[in-house]
Amino acid sequence: MEKKLHQDHFKVSVSKKEEAQQYLQGRGAQINTPNRFLKNERVKEHIESIDDWEEANLPTQYLEQEAKTIVNKVESPDVGMGYSMNAYAGCEHGCIYCYARNVHEYWGYSAGLDFERKIIVKKNAPQLLRKQLMHPKWEPIPIMLSGNTDCYQPAEKKYRLTRGLLEVCNEFNQPVGILTKNAGILRDKDVLQEMAKKNIVRAMVSITSFNEDLRRVMEPRTTTALQRLKVIEELSSAGVTMGVMMGPMIPGLNEHEMQRIMKAASERGATFTAYTFIRLNGAIKFLFHDWLYKNFPDRADKIWHLIEQSHNGTVNDSRWGLRMRGEGSIAQIVAQQYAKYGKLYHMNEGETGMNQRAFRRPGQQGVLF
Protein backbone atom coordinates (compact mmCIF):
# COMPACT_ATOMS: atom_id res chain seq x y z
CA MET A 1 0.00 0.00 0.00
CA GLU A 2 1.39 3.37 -0.96
CA LYS A 3 2.52 5.54 1.93
CA LYS A 4 2.78 8.69 -0.15
CA LEU A 5 -0.06 10.41 -1.95
CA HIS A 6 0.25 12.01 -5.32
CA GLN A 7 -0.03 15.77 -5.00
CA ASP A 8 -0.94 18.38 -7.58
CA HIS A 9 1.90 20.45 -8.92
CA PHE A 10 0.62 23.91 -8.07
CA LYS A 11 1.85 25.78 -5.02
CA VAL A 12 0.04 28.32 -2.88
CA SER A 13 1.48 31.79 -2.50
CA VAL A 14 0.16 35.14 -1.33
CA SER A 15 0.03 37.61 -4.23
CA LYS A 16 2.13 40.47 -2.85
CA LYS A 17 5.02 40.67 -0.43
CA GLU A 18 3.33 43.30 1.73
CA GLU A 19 0.23 41.12 1.94
CA ALA A 20 2.33 38.08 2.86
CA GLN A 21 3.70 39.95 5.85
CA GLN A 22 0.16 40.52 7.10
CA TYR A 23 -1.20 37.06 6.27
CA LEU A 24 -2.28 35.23 9.43
CA GLN A 25 -0.65 31.82 9.24
CA GLY A 26 -2.70 28.99 10.70
CA ARG A 27 -6.00 30.77 10.12
CA GLY A 28 -8.41 30.25 7.24
CA ALA A 29 -10.20 33.60 7.43
CA GLN A 30 -8.02 36.69 7.32
CA ILE A 31 -10.67 39.21 8.35
CA ASN A 32 -13.72 39.58 10.55
CA THR A 33 -16.77 40.18 8.40
CA PRO A 34 -19.62 42.32 9.80
CA ASN A 35 -22.24 40.60 11.92
CA ARG A 36 -25.62 41.19 10.28
CA PHE A 37 -27.32 41.22 13.67
CA LEU A 38 -25.14 43.97 15.15
CA LYS A 39 -25.60 47.65 14.26
CA ASN A 40 -22.46 49.08 15.86
CA GLU A 41 -19.21 47.24 15.29
CA ARG A 42 -15.77 47.91 13.86
CA VAL A 43 -14.32 45.51 11.32
CA LYS A 44 -11.68 45.52 8.61
CA GLU A 45 -13.00 44.74 5.14
CA HIS A 46 -10.49 46.53 2.90
CA ILE A 47 -6.98 46.87 4.23
CA GLU A 48 -6.11 49.72 1.87
CA SER A 49 -8.85 51.96 3.28
CA ILE A 50 -7.80 51.84 6.94
CA ASP A 51 -4.67 53.51 8.34
CA ASP A 52 -2.60 51.99 11.13
CA TRP A 53 -4.69 48.84 11.50
CA GLU A 54 -2.88 45.79 12.77
CA GLU A 55 -4.55 42.40 13.02
CA ALA A 56 -2.85 40.36 15.73
CA ASN A 57 -2.86 36.59 15.38
CA LEU A 58 -4.51 36.04 18.73
CA PRO A 59 -4.65 32.63 20.44
CA THR A 60 -7.85 30.63 20.51
CA GLN A 61 -10.21 31.49 23.35
CA TYR A 62 -12.56 28.90 24.89
CA LEU A 63 -15.82 30.35 26.18
CA GLU A 64 -17.45 27.89 28.57
CA GLN A 65 -21.22 27.92 29.04
CA GLU A 66 -24.12 25.90 30.38
CA ALA A 67 -26.34 25.20 27.36
CA LYS A 68 -30.10 24.70 27.50
CA THR A 69 -30.39 22.08 24.75
CA ILE A 70 -28.01 19.88 22.78
CA VAL A 71 -30.14 17.88 20.31
CA ASN A 72 -31.50 19.88 17.36
CA LYS A 73 -34.03 18.79 14.78
CA VAL A 74 -32.74 19.29 11.23
CA GLU A 75 -35.35 20.61 8.80
CA SER A 76 -33.19 20.77 5.68
CA PRO A 77 -33.90 17.97 3.15
CA ASP A 78 -30.42 18.38 1.63
CA VAL A 79 -28.19 17.17 4.45
CA GLY A 80 -29.53 13.68 5.13
CA MET A 81 -29.90 13.81 8.91
CA GLY A 82 -32.89 14.03 11.24
CA TYR A 83 -31.15 15.35 14.35
CA SER A 84 -27.75 16.80 15.15
CA MET A 85 -25.81 17.72 18.27
CA ASN A 86 -22.77 19.95 18.63
CA ALA A 87 -20.81 20.30 21.85
CA TYR A 88 -18.83 23.20 20.37
CA ALA A 89 -19.84 26.34 18.47
CA GLY A 90 -17.11 27.78 16.30
CA CYS A 91 -14.25 25.62 15.04
CA GLU A 92 -10.52 26.05 15.34
CA HIS A 93 -9.92 24.01 12.19
CA GLY A 94 -10.57 27.23 10.26
CA CYS A 95 -11.89 25.70 7.03
CA ILE A 96 -12.55 28.73 4.85
CA TYR A 97 -15.62 27.26 3.13
CA CYS A 98 -17.41 26.07 6.30
CA TYR A 99 -21.17 26.74 6.23
CA ALA A 100 -21.23 26.80 10.05
CA ARG A 101 -19.43 30.16 10.04
CA ASN A 102 -22.71 32.00 9.55
CA VAL A 103 -24.18 30.43 12.69
CA HIS A 104 -21.50 32.15 14.79
CA GLU A 105 -23.24 35.46 14.12
CA TYR A 106 -26.18 34.31 16.24
CA TRP A 107 -23.79 34.25 19.21
CA GLY A 108 -22.82 37.88 18.57
CA TYR A 109 -19.51 37.15 16.85
CA SER A 110 -18.13 37.39 13.32
CA ALA A 111 -18.20 34.50 10.87
CA GLY A 112 -14.56 35.28 10.08
CA LEU A 113 -11.68 35.13 12.53
CA ASP A 114 -14.04 35.04 15.52
CA PHE A 115 -15.37 31.70 14.30
CA GLU A 116 -11.87 30.22 14.59
CA ARG A 117 -10.67 32.08 17.70
CA LYS A 118 -13.74 32.18 19.96
CA ILE A 119 -14.92 28.64 20.59
CA ILE A 120 -18.07 28.21 22.66
CA VAL A 121 -17.89 25.11 24.83
CA LYS A 122 -21.17 23.56 26.02
CA LYS A 123 -19.79 21.96 29.16
CA ASN A 124 -23.03 20.23 30.13
CA ALA A 125 -23.56 18.58 26.72
CA PRO A 126 -23.49 14.92 27.96
CA GLN A 127 -25.95 15.71 30.77
CA LEU A 128 -28.31 17.40 28.31
CA LEU A 129 -28.16 14.40 25.98
CA ARG A 130 -28.99 12.04 28.84
CA LYS A 131 -31.99 14.20 29.72
CA GLN A 132 -33.12 14.14 26.08
CA LEU A 133 -32.86 10.35 25.78
CA MET A 134 -34.69 9.81 29.06
CA HIS A 135 -37.71 11.74 27.78
CA PRO A 136 -40.54 9.22 27.25
CA LYS A 137 -41.44 10.70 23.87
CA TRP A 138 -37.93 10.39 22.43
CA GLU A 139 -37.63 7.89 19.59
CA PRO A 140 -34.14 6.58 18.75
CA ILE A 141 -33.73 8.31 15.42
CA PRO A 142 -29.99 8.53 14.59
CA ILE A 143 -28.29 11.72 15.77
CA MET A 144 -25.43 13.29 13.83
CA LEU A 145 -22.35 14.46 15.70
CA SER A 146 -20.70 17.36 13.86
CA GLY A 147 -23.85 18.42 12.09
CA ASN A 148 -22.40 21.91 12.35
CA THR A 149 -18.83 22.04 13.68
CA ASP A 150 -16.24 19.28 14.03
CA CYS A 151 -16.74 17.29 17.23
CA TYR A 152 -13.02 16.40 17.27
CA GLN A 153 -11.62 19.89 16.84
CA PRO A 154 -8.66 20.77 19.14
CA ALA A 155 -10.96 21.75 22.05
CA GLU A 156 -12.01 18.10 22.39
CA LYS A 157 -8.55 17.13 23.60
CA LYS A 158 -9.12 19.29 26.67
CA TYR A 159 -12.85 18.95 27.31
CA ARG A 160 -13.63 15.41 26.05
CA LEU A 161 -17.31 16.32 25.54
CA THR A 162 -17.60 14.18 22.40
CA ARG A 163 -16.31 11.26 24.42
CA GLY A 164 -19.01 11.96 27.00
CA LEU A 165 -21.73 12.12 24.34
CA LEU A 166 -20.61 8.80 22.85
CA GLU A 167 -20.61 7.14 26.26
CA VAL A 168 -24.21 8.25 26.82
CA CYS A 169 -25.20 6.96 23.37
CA ASN A 170 -23.48 3.66 24.09
CA GLU A 171 -25.32 3.32 27.41
CA PHE A 172 -28.72 3.93 25.79
CA ASN A 173 -27.88 2.12 22.51
CA GLN A 174 -28.73 5.37 20.74
CA PRO A 175 -27.62 5.33 17.06
CA VAL A 176 -25.17 8.09 16.19
CA GLY A 177 -23.29 9.25 13.11
CA ILE A 178 -19.95 11.07 13.18
CA LEU A 179 -18.28 13.37 10.65
CA THR A 180 -14.75 14.58 11.31
CA LYS A 181 -11.46 15.53 9.68
CA ASN A 182 -9.40 15.11 12.83
CA ALA A 183 -7.41 12.06 13.94
CA GLY A 184 -8.54 12.75 17.51
CA ILE A 185 -11.38 10.31 16.89
CA LEU A 186 -8.88 7.50 17.46
CA ARG A 187 -8.81 8.40 21.16
CA ASP A 188 -12.34 6.98 21.33
CA LYS A 189 -11.70 3.78 19.40
CA ASP A 190 -12.62 1.67 22.42
CA VAL A 191 -16.14 3.03 22.81
CA LEU A 192 -16.62 3.13 19.02
CA GLN A 193 -15.75 -0.59 18.86
CA GLU A 194 -18.39 -1.37 21.48
CA MET A 195 -20.98 0.66 19.59
CA ALA A 196 -20.01 -0.93 16.27
CA LYS A 197 -20.72 -4.40 17.67
CA LYS A 198 -24.29 -3.25 18.35
CA ASN A 199 -24.54 -1.52 14.95
CA ILE A 200 -25.30 1.87 16.47
CA VAL A 201 -22.49 3.97 14.98
CA ARG A 202 -21.28 5.13 11.56
CA ALA A 203 -18.30 7.43 11.03
CA MET A 204 -17.23 9.52 8.06
CA VAL A 205 -13.88 11.18 7.50
CA SER A 206 -13.87 14.34 5.40
CA ILE A 207 -11.15 14.52 2.74
CA THR A 208 -11.06 17.45 0.34
CA SER A 209 -7.59 17.27 -1.22
CA PHE A 210 -4.34 15.34 -1.37
CA ASN A 211 -2.50 18.60 -2.10
CA GLU A 212 -0.90 19.58 1.19
CA ASP A 213 -0.20 23.13 0.02
CA LEU A 214 -3.91 23.57 -0.62
CA ARG A 215 -4.93 21.82 2.60
CA ARG A 216 -2.69 24.04 4.75
CA VAL A 217 -4.39 27.25 3.65
CA MET A 218 -7.92 25.94 3.04
CA GLU A 219 -8.16 23.85 6.25
CA PRO A 220 -5.21 25.22 8.24
CA ARG A 221 -5.59 23.42 11.57
CA THR A 222 -6.67 20.01 10.35
CA THR A 223 -4.65 16.83 10.02
CA THR A 224 -3.14 15.72 6.70
CA ALA A 225 -5.00 13.69 4.11
CA LEU A 226 -2.63 10.78 4.72
CA GLN A 227 -3.46 10.83 8.42
CA ARG A 228 -7.19 10.87 7.63
CA LEU A 229 -6.75 7.77 5.49
CA LYS A 230 -5.01 6.11 8.44
CA VAL A 231 -8.06 6.95 10.57
CA ILE A 232 -10.32 5.19 8.06
CA GLU A 233 -8.00 2.19 7.97
CA GLU A 234 -7.61 1.84 11.73
CA LEU A 235 -11.28 2.24 12.60
CA SER A 236 -12.53 0.03 9.78
CA SER A 237 -10.08 -2.66 10.95
CA ALA A 238 -11.61 -2.26 14.40
CA GLY A 239 -15.06 -3.05 13.01
CA VAL A 240 -16.45 0.48 12.66
CA THR A 241 -18.36 1.12 9.44
CA MET A 242 -16.42 3.94 7.80
CA GLY A 243 -17.20 6.36 4.99
CA VAL A 244 -15.58 9.31 3.26
CA MET A 245 -17.06 12.76 2.74
CA MET A 246 -15.70 14.67 -0.24
CA GLY A 247 -16.70 18.21 0.24
CA PRO A 248 -16.88 20.71 -0.84
CA MET A 249 -15.82 20.06 -4.39
CA ILE A 250 -14.51 23.37 -5.73
CA PRO A 251 -14.09 23.79 -9.50
CA GLY A 252 -10.54 24.74 -10.40
CA LEU A 253 -9.16 23.67 -7.02
CA ASN A 254 -10.05 20.12 -6.01
CA GLU A 255 -12.99 18.78 -8.04
CA HIS A 256 -10.60 16.70 -10.15
CA GLU A 257 -9.47 14.75 -7.06
CA MET A 258 -12.73 12.92 -6.44
CA GLN A 259 -11.63 9.68 -8.08
CA ARG A 260 -8.32 9.60 -6.21
CA ILE A 261 -10.01 10.24 -2.88
CA MET A 262 -12.62 7.53 -3.39
CA LYS A 263 -10.01 4.99 -4.51
CA ALA A 264 -7.69 5.66 -1.58
CA ALA A 265 -10.55 5.61 0.95
CA SER A 266 -11.91 2.37 -0.50
CA GLU A 267 -8.50 0.72 -0.22
CA ARG A 268 -8.43 1.64 3.48
CA GLY A 269 -11.83 0.16 4.21
CA ALA A 270 -14.39 2.91 3.55
CA THR A 271 -17.68 1.47 2.32
CA PHE A 272 -19.89 4.51 1.80
CA THR A 273 -19.48 8.04 0.51
CA ALA A 274 -21.05 11.48 0.24
CA TYR A 275 -20.08 14.78 -1.37
CA THR A 276 -21.11 18.41 -1.57
CA PHE A 277 -20.49 21.12 -4.14
CA ILE A 278 -19.14 24.49 -3.01
CA ARG A 279 -21.78 27.02 -1.97
CA LEU A 280 -20.93 30.45 -0.56
CA ASN A 281 -23.86 31.74 1.45
CA GLY A 282 -23.96 34.71 3.81
CA ALA A 283 -20.63 35.99 5.10
CA ILE A 284 -18.79 33.00 3.61
CA LYS A 285 -19.06 34.67 0.22
CA PHE A 286 -16.85 37.55 1.35
CA LEU A 287 -14.47 35.42 3.40
CA PHE A 288 -13.91 32.94 0.58
CA HIS A 289 -13.45 35.74 -1.97
CA ASP A 290 -10.82 37.42 0.21
CA TRP A 291 -9.05 34.10 0.80
CA LEU A 292 -9.19 33.04 -2.85
CA TYR A 293 -7.65 36.22 -4.27
CA LYS A 294 -4.91 36.27 -1.63
CA ASN A 295 -3.86 32.66 -2.14
CA PHE A 296 -4.63 32.02 -5.82
CA PRO A 297 -4.26 35.34 -7.64
CA ASP A 298 -3.39 33.56 -10.89
CA ARG A 299 -6.64 31.59 -11.04
CA ALA A 300 -9.03 33.41 -8.70
CA ASP A 301 -11.18 34.98 -11.43
CA LYS A 302 -11.62 31.66 -13.19
CA ILE A 303 -12.53 29.78 -10.02
CA TRP A 304 -15.00 32.44 -8.94
CA HIS A 305 -16.76 32.42 -12.31
CA LEU A 306 -16.89 28.61 -12.36
CA ILE A 307 -18.66 28.69 -9.01
CA GLU A 308 -21.12 31.26 -10.37
CA GLN A 309 -21.77 29.13 -13.44
CA SER A 310 -22.60 26.22 -11.17
CA HIS A 311 -25.21 28.17 -9.20
CA ASN A 312 -27.33 29.97 -11.79
CA GLY A 313 -25.03 32.99 -11.92
CA THR A 314 -24.59 33.43 -8.17
CA VAL A 315 -22.30 31.87 -5.57
CA ASN A 316 -25.11 31.84 -2.99
CA ASP A 317 -27.75 29.41 -4.18
CA SER A 318 -30.54 28.70 -1.70
CA ARG A 319 -32.73 26.40 -3.82
CA TRP A 320 -33.56 23.08 -2.20
CA GLY A 321 -32.06 20.13 -4.03
CA LEU A 322 -29.58 22.28 -5.96
CA ARG A 323 -27.72 24.32 -3.38
CA MET A 324 -25.55 21.38 -2.21
CA ARG A 325 -25.06 19.82 -5.66
CA GLY A 326 -24.94 22.74 -8.08
CA GLU A 327 -26.00 22.69 -11.72
CA GLY A 328 -24.48 23.21 -15.14
CA SER A 329 -21.64 21.42 -16.89
CA ILE A 330 -19.06 21.42 -14.05
CA ALA A 331 -21.50 20.26 -11.39
CA GLN A 332 -22.79 17.61 -13.78
CA ILE A 333 -19.27 16.28 -14.39
CA VAL A 334 -18.71 16.06 -10.63
CA ALA A 335 -21.99 14.18 -10.20
CA GLN A 336 -21.08 11.78 -13.01
CA GLN A 337 -17.66 11.12 -11.47
CA TYR A 338 -19.28 10.43 -8.13
CA ALA A 339 -21.68 7.89 -9.62
CA LYS A 340 -19.06 6.23 -11.85
CA TYR A 341 -16.30 5.83 -9.29
CA GLY A 342 -18.68 4.97 -6.47
CA LYS A 343 -19.78 1.99 -8.54
CA LEU A 344 -16.22 1.15 -9.58
CA TYR A 345 -14.99 1.04 -5.98
CA HIS A 346 -18.13 -0.69 -4.67
CA MET A 347 -19.22 2.17 -2.45
CA ASN A 348 -22.72 2.46 -0.97
CA GLU A 349 -23.59 -1.12 -1.88
CA GLY A 350 -24.32 -2.57 1.54
CA GLU A 351 -26.86 -1.75 4.20
CA THR A 352 -25.97 1.53 5.90
CA GLY A 353 -28.83 1.69 8.38
CA MET A 354 -28.21 1.48 12.11
CA ASN A 355 -29.96 -0.59 14.75
CA GLN A 356 -32.77 1.43 16.33
CA ARG A 357 -34.46 -1.51 18.02
CA ALA A 358 -31.69 -1.92 20.62
CA PHE A 359 -32.45 1.43 22.27
CA ARG A 360 -33.23 1.19 25.97
CA ARG A 361 -33.32 3.51 28.93
CA PRO A 362 -31.49 2.54 32.12
CA GLY A 363 -33.71 0.21 34.15
CA GLN A 364 -35.97 -0.52 31.20
CA GLN A 365 -36.68 -4.16 30.40
CA GLY A 366 -36.56 -5.40 26.83
CA VAL A 367 -36.57 -3.14 23.77
CA LEU A 368 -38.52 -0.01 23.02
CA PHE A 369 -40.20 -1.40 19.87
Side-chain angles (χ1 to χ4, degrees):
M1 186 175 294
E2 294 181 356
K3 292 185 178 181
K4 293 186 178 180
L5 298 174
H6 171 72
Q7 295 191 16
D8 293 309
H9 65 278
F10 67 81
K11 300 290 184 181
V12 177
S13 61
V14 181
S15 58
K16 298 178 182 179
K17 183 177 180 180
E18 57 269 25
E19 289 183 5
Q21 293 172 345
Q22 298 171 12
Y23 196 91
L24 300 179
Q25 300 295 331
R27 298 295 183 187
Q30 297 298 302
I31 58 175
N32 263 333
T33 47
N35 185 322
R36 66 189 185 277
F37 301 114
L38 301 180
K39 294 182 178 180
N40 300 312
E41 63 174 337
R42 180 168 162 267
V43 297
K44 178 180 69 173
E45 289 185 297
H46 303 289
I47 189 171
E48 66 274 10
S49 65
I50 302 176
D51 295 328
D52 301 322
W53 183 301
E54 293 184 2
E55 185 74 71
N57 198 357
L58 301 174
T60 304
Q61 182 181 7
Y62 296 138
L63 307 172
E64 300 177 359
Q65 71 158 217
E66 295 289 319
K68 294 182 179 180
T69 60
I70 191 64
V71 178
N72 306 294
K73 186 173 178 59
V74 179
E75 303 290 347
S76 171
D78 290 330
V79 294
M81 67 181 83
Y83 291 90
S84 70
M85 56 183 173
N86 298 275
Y88 308 101
C91 186
E92 197 174 353
H93 282 164
C95 303
I96 191 61
Y97 51 75
C98 182
Y99 60 83
R101 287 181 176 274
N102 291 319
V103 180
H104 222 47
E105 294 183 351
Y106 288 101
W107 298 94
Y109 301 117
S110 170
L113 284 166
D114 281 353
F115 176 78
E116 306 173 36
R117 301 194 298 203
K118 297 181 183 295
I119 310 301
I120 297 169
V121 179
K122 304 172 187 177
K123 291 194 68 177
N124 59 334
Q127 292 81 7
L128 288 173
L129 176 61
R130 178 178 295 277
K131 180 180 178 181
Q132 177 77 33
L133 300 185
M134 285 298 295
H135 195 286
K137 291 187 178 181
W138 171 257
E139 296 183 1
I141 298 172
I143 303 174
M144 186 68 185
L145 263 166
S146 296
N148 210 30
T149 57
D150 200 313
C151 59
Y152 284 105
Q153 62 175 287
E156 173 62 14
K157 188 173 183 180
K158 175 180 179 180
Y159 290 100
R160 305 305 299 273
L161 294 177
T162 300
R163 171 78 183 202
L165 291 171
L166 288 175
E167 288 175 339
V168 172
C169 288
N170 188 34
E171 179 184 354
F172 283 74
N173 292 336
Q174 165 63 43
V176 64
I178 302 172
L179 175 62
T180 186
K181 56 186 66 175
N182 194 308
I185 190 176
L186 295 177
R187 290 192 296 265
D188 295 334
K189 184 170 73 169
D190 58 334
V191 68
L192 292 172
Q193 277 185 297
E194 288 184 23
M195 297 177 74
K197 291 177 182 177
K198 296 181 284 187
N199 190 24
I200 57 171
V201 69
R202 296 283 187 275
M204 296 190 80
V205 175
S206 175
I207 301 178
T208 49
S209 178
F210 288 156
N211 184 322
E212 276 301 295
D213 288 318
L214 174 59
R215 197 271 312 167
R216 287 189 190 100
V217 292
M218 187 165 68
E219 306 167 342
R221 298 199 179 190
T222 61
T223 191
T224 65
L226 182 59
Q227 189 66 21
R228 298 182 209 185
L229 290 174
K230 289 180 179 178
V231 168
I232 294 175
E233 186 172 33
E234 184 168 340
L235 289 181
S236 62
S237 297
V240 181
T241 302
M242 297 298 297
V244 60
M245 163 63 80
M246 297 166 290
M249 293 288 101
I250 308 172
L253 278 183
N254 71 336
E255 95 289 349
H256 60 286
E257 296 192 66
M258 179 175 277
Q259 185 264 340
R260 277 186 276 166
I261 294 172
M262 294 178 79
K263 182 177 185 293
S266 175
E267 290 172 347
R268 271 82 174 176
T271 58
F272 66 103
T273 62
Y275 86 96
T276 60
F277 195 90
I278 186 70
R279 173 195 174 218
L280 306 173
N281 61 315
I284 306 170
K285 170 182 178 180
F286 306 102
L287 292 165
F288 189 87
H289 188 276
D290 176 75
W291 172 87
L292 180 64
Y293 280 80
K294 283 178 178 175
N295 287 287
F296 298 94
D298 60 328
R299 63 179 69 192
D301 284 337
K302 178 181 179 181
I303 293 170
W304 191 259
H305 293 317
L306 286 174
I307 296 173
E308 290 178 325
Q309 291 172 23
S310 302
H311 287 297
N312 196 32
T314 176
V315 297
N316 181 18
D317 192 348
S318 59
R319 294 172 294 169
W320 299 117
L322 290 174
R323 59 180 189 155
M324 306 291 283
R325 286 291 186 265
E327 61 182 348
S329 58
I330 300 297
Q332 187 176 13
I333 290 172
V334 172
Q336 290 172 346
Q337 286 187 83
Y338 180 73
K340 175 181 178 180
Y341 294 115
K343 186 175 181 179
L344 177 64
Y345 300 123
H346 306 287
M347 296 290 197
N348 308 309
E349 291 184 345
E351 176 60 45
T352 58
M354 288 182 276
N355 182 11
Q356 295 176 242
R357 293 182 59 82
F359 180 84
R360 62 176 178 81
R361 299 182 178 91
Q364 175 181 315
Q365 298 297 320
V367 296
L368 184 64
F369 300 108

